[in-house]
Amino acid sequence: MAIFAIPGYAAIGWVAPVVAAVFSTLMCAFAVHAMWTTGRDLRQYLSLLPAEDGAATGPSAATRAQTCVAVTFSVVAFAWAALDFAVHSTAIAPAKASQPCGGECGHCAEDPNCASWAEGVRERHPIVDVCPTVKAGSEADTTFSCLADGAWLTCTGLVGLLWLVLLRCRCARCAHAGPKSHGGHVNAQVAAWATSEAGAVPA
């Protein structure tokens, strides 16, 4: 969805949403690649590869690397979203009451694209540069993108958390499967030894 949103955002000059969409696309690409190449259950479900005989006894280096990537993306996404929401609530939302044309900036003859209004907000609160307004000539009624960016990045952070949870669940399953597989192998050896010993005892 992020890929399809980028052209629309770029057309109206929304720079921050484009950056956020690229960020989300990169994270999703990493997650899908990781789950596709190392997701044992996913491969079995799609029947692309035969079931694996053994199970790891702990998280591999690849799993640890994926966990670091998932944590990094999630933290950045939530921190970025928090900043956007803070800027919107403290700098942009209070100024909405003075927005010309009732907020219909795309067709506002008094102040096209509410550019003068947006510049006034920017002079009072330079922090709004984290979510610049649309470019001149746009027919969109939107201005600063902080609220949209915050919502988008919150969703991105939740996807990152889901990826992290799946990684942790996989590690937990590996930790439980390893000892069981090892124990089963030992028990089989003991049973085979006992059978051979019983066969060797004279009647």
Side-chain angles (χ1 to χ4, degrees):
M1 186 176 68
I3 296 177
F4 295 107
I6 291 174
Y9 291 149
I12 64 175
W14 255 9
V15 177
V18 170
V19 176
V22 171
F23 176 83
S24 300
T25 301
L26 287 175
M27 190 206 70
C28 291
F30 277 119
V32 170
H33 178 267
M35 287 187 284
W36 182 263
T37 55
T38 62
R40 177 185 172 197
D41 294 335
L42 179 61
R43 293 201 306 266
Q44 291 180 359
Y45 176 75
L46 295 177
S47 300
L48 295 178
L49 293 175
E52 298 177 7
D53 296 330
T57 58
S60 64
T63 299
R64 290 193 292 269
Q66 293 170 28
T67 300
C68 291
V69 173
V71 169
T72 301
F73 271 103
S74 298
V75 169
V76 171
F78 282 125
W80 190 354
L83 175 62
D84 284 327
F85 284 136
V87 172
H88 176 79
S89 61
T90 59
I92 300 172
K96 285 285 186 180
S98 61
Q99 198 170 26
C101 300
E104 297 181 359
C105 301
H107 301 87
C108 183
E110 175 187 346
D111 184 9
N113 298 117
C114 299
S116 297
W117 172 86
E119 183 61 26
V121 174
R122 182 175 175 275
E123 290 178 356
R124 294 191 300 272
H125 306 282
I127 190 64
V128 297
D129 282 340
V130 300
C131 53
T133 187
V134 297
K135 65 181 181 181
S138 170
E139 295 184 355
D141 291 331
T142 55
T143 53
F144 298 104
S145 62
C146 279
L147 185 60
D149 296 344
W152 185 286
L153 289 163
T154 298
C155 293
T156 301
L158 291 175
V159 172
L161 284 182
L162 176 61
W163 181 16
L164 183 60
V165 168
L166 292 176
L167 286 171
R168 299 304 299 170
C169 290
R170 190 176 70 187
C171 288
R173 289 187 61 185
C174 290
H176 284 84
K180 288 181 180 178
S181 299
H182 179 72
H185 180 65
V186 172
N187 289 338
Q189 288 182 329
V190 172
W193 175 81
T195 301
S196 63
E197 288 296 318
V201 174

